[in-house]
Amino acid sequence: MENLKDQAFSLLKNNIKKGYSKNFKRDFFYLSPDSVHFHQWFWDSCFHIIVMSKLDPEIAKKEFETLISVQQKDGFIPHIIFWKWRLRDRFQKWWQKEVNSKKTNLFTAEIQPPVIGLSLLEIYKATGDLEFVKRNIEKVEQYYLYLKEKRDPDYDGLISIITPMESGMDLCSHYDIPFGNEKHDPLETKKHITEILTRYKEWGWDLDTIFESSLFDVEDISFNTIYCLGLYALAELYGELDKNKQKEIKKWADSVKKSMVEKCWFDDEQIYFGLFHREGSEIPMKVKTISSLFPLTLPVPESHIKALTGHLQSEKEFWSSYPITSVSMDEPSFGPLTDTRLIWRGTTWINTNWFLANGLEKQGYTALAKKIARKTIELIIKSGFHEYYDPFDGHPGKAMRNFGWSTLAIDFIDLLNRN
């Protein structure tokens, strides 16, 4: 299995992009997700940093500082950053972002799951470089403050996303609900996404207008779990620098977790569901997807952990031959799988396995965490590092090849070696 680390390192090095950007008038260094997704993508970049912290921390630091260098005055860090143009890039439609009353096509207007706090913590764990932390921690905190101040329109502590892509799980079938897609046709949801992007562009991506419209105002479970995990990571880092600040950030994280438990846990189904806002009402998106399992990674009530692990291990729900499926197998919306690019409707993904296995280990469910780790490594050995996989035969189908974030699987080698 150690050979997997060499393979992962080689893959990631081959995806390095570096040079001088005429767009930003500065040098850049980052790892693209693969050969097709050429640009710097926020949560992909955060995952690359986590893996490279263990393989080559200096590369991890360079990528981190490239990512954080485009942060705006209000704390915003974009979904995609276009350090260099390619001819094909000029045909994309949704890039314009309003910055200081001027439109820019240097990056997108969307956000992605806020993994960056975990990334900074992993750099520190690998290197002990407190100076690097000092140089960057306030910028990371400013990003989380941006989310708190700009993306919580109902002030309940939970962050709202305004497109499915902001969750990172683009067409996952719980997003069919706010679009009124009762037949769970992925093409129908894709059409609605195009429609809201068109409207947002017309509105200059003004958040007040967007939230007032309620076209897509979703408190997503996986996004808010990652937000909470990032805050806990930030609190841990401040423990090395400022104990008062550590307490403040931990209290903030605890309040996010508390709000999720109170609002998003449903006793009847014994699972978490995200909510969408429409005409003053909060409506649960009652489709069991991998997002519903994410609170396994947080200090939620033990009864919730037991119920969620039951769902996870059920062969009728999430435990396939190559777990963990992104949609429960007993949901009508399960599928299509790898013969299409209509993604996140049942396929298995390494990054979500990584979150859940590591969370379960911290919760004391070590045997289950190792079970996921073994099945994930088996999947990588069988099919390689790809974007996603068929949950039954492990084949990647139309997934992108040599996909960077799937190198997170090497973390499972160490997990399996721990007592």
Side-chain angles (χ1 to χ4, degrees), residues 264-302:
C264 302
W265 172 258
F266 288 81
D267 271 325
D268 287 350
E269 292 86 354
Q270 289 286 289
I271 201 166
Y272 285 84
F273 292 117
L275 309 169
F276 76 94
H277 294 252
R278 187 68 46 80
E279 297 178 350
S281 297
E282 288 182 332
I283 305 163
M285 301 183 296
K286 290 196 173 185
V287 180
K288 291 179 295 181
T289 72
I290 198 161
S291 182
S292 297
L293 303 179
F294 260 64
L296 280 169
T297 64
L298 296 173
V300 297
E302 179 61 23

Side-chain angles (χ1 to χ4, degrees), residues 152-160 177 214 217-219 259 262-264 266 273-286:
D152 182 13
D154 61 351
Y155 306 105
D156 64 351
L158 299 179
I159 302 306
S160 286
I177 306 299
S214 291
D217 176 354
V218 167
E219 293 174 341
S259 188
E262 290 177 350
K263 295 185 64 179
C264 302
F266 288 81
F273 292 117
L275 309 169
F276 76 94
H277 294 252
R278 187 68 46 80
E279 297 178 350
S281 297
E282 288 182 332
I283 305 163
M285 301 183 296
K286 290 196 173 185

Side-chain angles (χ1 to χ4, degrees), residues 103-118:
K103 291 192 186 300
T104 175
N105 55 5
L106 302 184
F107 48 79
T108 59
E110 293 170 297
I111 55 175
Q112 269 198 317
V115 187
I116 195 166
L118 297 170

Side-chain angles (χ1 to χ4, degrees), residues 97-231:
K97 166 72 180 170
E98 196 80 26
V99 180
N100 299 328
S101 301
K102 295 181 180 179
K103 291 192 186 300
T104 175
N105 55 5
L106 302 184
F107 48 79
T108 59
E110 293 170 297
I111 55 175
Q112 269 198 317
V115 187
I116 195 166
L118 297 170
S119 300
L120 184 58
L121 179 60
E122 288 301 319
I123 289 174
Y124 178 66
K125 285 180 176 178
T127 65
D129 188 344
L130 200 55
E131 288 305 312
F132 185 85
V133 174
K134 287 178 183 177
R135 199 159 65 240
N136 290 290
I137 193 167
E138 289 183 2
K139 299 172 188 175
V140 174
E141 182 184 357
Q142 186 61 34
Y143 172 65
Y144 288 100
L145 284 168
Y146 163 83
L147 296 176
K148 180 181 181 181
E149 292 167 4
K150 302 289 187 181
R151 289 304 195 98
D152 182 13
D154 61 351
Y155 306 105
D156 64 351
L158 299 179
I159 302 306
S160 286
I161 59 172
I162 58 174
T163 76
M165 289 81 73
E166 291 196 320
S167 74
M169 301 182 186
D170 303 9
L171 290 172
C172 200
S173 54
H174 54 280
Y175 303 128
D176 298 341
I177 306 299
F179 290 129
N181 181 6
E182 295 177 1
K183 294 182 179 180
H184 293 289
D185 178 357
L187 291 174
E188 181 72 14
T189 288
K190 195 171 184 179
K191 183 188 82 172
H192 283 296
I193 290 171
T194 301
E195 289 170 353
I196 65 170
L197 290 171
T198 301
R199 298 292 293 278
Y200 292 172
K201 187 175 181 182
E202 290 171 356
W203 298 335
W205 289 87
D206 178 73
L207 288 174
D208 289 337
T209 305
I210 288 170
F211 282 126
E212 188 177 346
S213 75
S214 291
L215 291 180
F216 191 91
D217 176 354
V218 167
E219 293 174 341
D220 186 79
I221 296 298
S222 58
F223 189 102
N224 277 285
T225 300
I226 294 169
Y227 172 56
C228 196
L229 289 170
L231 290 173

Side-chain angles (χ1 to χ4, degrees), residues 253-264:
D254 287 340
S255 70
V256 174
K257 178 200 70 177
K258 182 173 183 286
S259 188
M260 196 184 312
V261 169
E262 290 177 350
K263 295 185 64 179
C264 302

